[in-house]
Amino acid sequence: MNYKQEKTRYISYCGAYCYLCDWFTDRHRKVFQTALDSIELYGFKRWLQGRVDIKNLKLGLKILANSNICSGCKAEAGSPNDRCKIRKCAYSKGLELCSECDNFPCSLLKTNKGVVKFHCLENLQEIKTKGLKRWIDQQWQEYINNELY
């Protein structure tokens, strides 16, 4: 495994790891497709009729099941339309991870709902203490290999 590539491409500045993300890995699309298939396959239309607009529900699930897969946070770095304040900050400082910053952990990270929800600060702290190679190996062993096989 190329650990440098993992760091520069698949670990976001804030510490999220692309291979654990449903949007990056395509897991979300499978969920929506399964829901769409289940409406017909298991007769859920009968229970939904009169309660929801089945045609629009199916259309929405189809749109989500065919939505684009995320290319990863770092693929959007440097874009003039970047909407992520964390990414803009780290990119402007030439960092690959927020944990490389002298102000780590800053209030921008500590108050970001996604960073908190997905334990990104903990990820960055572990990378800092364990080292990148060991942290990535642990992610692959605990989570990714279980998902792939």
Side-chain angles (χ1 to χ4, degrees):
M1 175 180 306
N2 183 332
Y3 295 96
K4 178 71 173 165
Q5 181 179 359
E6 291 292 305
K7 178 181 174 183
T8 58
R9 200 161 169 204
Y10 300 115
I11 304 173
S12 66
Y13 296 103
C14 68
Y17 195 31
C18 292
Y19 292 113
L20 302 179
C21 173
D22 291 343
W23 290 96
F24 183 82
T25 61
D26 197 26
R27 284 187 293 263
H28 77 286
R29 291 174 61 179
K30 293 172 188 164
V31 169
F32 296 126
Q33 186 61 54
T34 299
L36 182 60
D37 294 344
S38 296
I39 290 172
E40 297 295 328
L41 185 65
Y42 299 113
F44 291 140
K45 267 173 70 170
R46 162 183 73 158
W47 289 325
L48 296 172
Q49 241 160 353
R51 295 180 180 165
V52 298
D53 182 339
I54 297 171
K55 184 178 176 183
N56 280 334
L57 173 62
K58 288 173 68 175
L59 177 63
L61 289 171
K62 187 175 183 174
I63 289 168
L64 291 169
N66 292 300
S67 61
N68 289 333
I69 298 171
C70 175
S71 55
C73 287
K74 288 193 175 170
E76 297 181 31
S79 166
N81 300 323
D82 195 343
R83 66 195 185 289
C84 179
K85 292 178 185 176
I86 295 169
R87 184 174 43 231
K88 282 198 283 192
C89 177
Y91 182 79
S92 71
K93 293 178 179 180
L95 305 174
E96 290 183 23
L97 300 171
C98 289
S99 56
E100 298 168 352
C101 183
D102 293 336
N103 296 324
F104 174 77
C106 67
S107 62
L108 187 60
L109 285 171
K110 290 179 187 177
T111 59
N112 182 283
K113 291 179 182 180
V115 169
V116 173
K117 180 180 180 179
F118 296 109
H119 309 285
C120 297
L121 281 175
E122 290 89 338
N123 290 347
L124 290 172
Q125 195 58 51
E126 281 187 43
I127 290 169
K128 209 171 180 177
T129 57
K130 291 180 179 180
L132 180 70
K133 183 181 183 309
R134 189 168 157 207
W135 184 84
I136 291 173
D137 287 345
Q138 180 182 342
Q139 301 311 301
W140 276 81
Q141 183 179 12
E142 289 182 23
Y143 304 105
I144 298 167
N145 283 336
N146 292 333
E147 289 290 326
L148 297 176
Y149 304 106

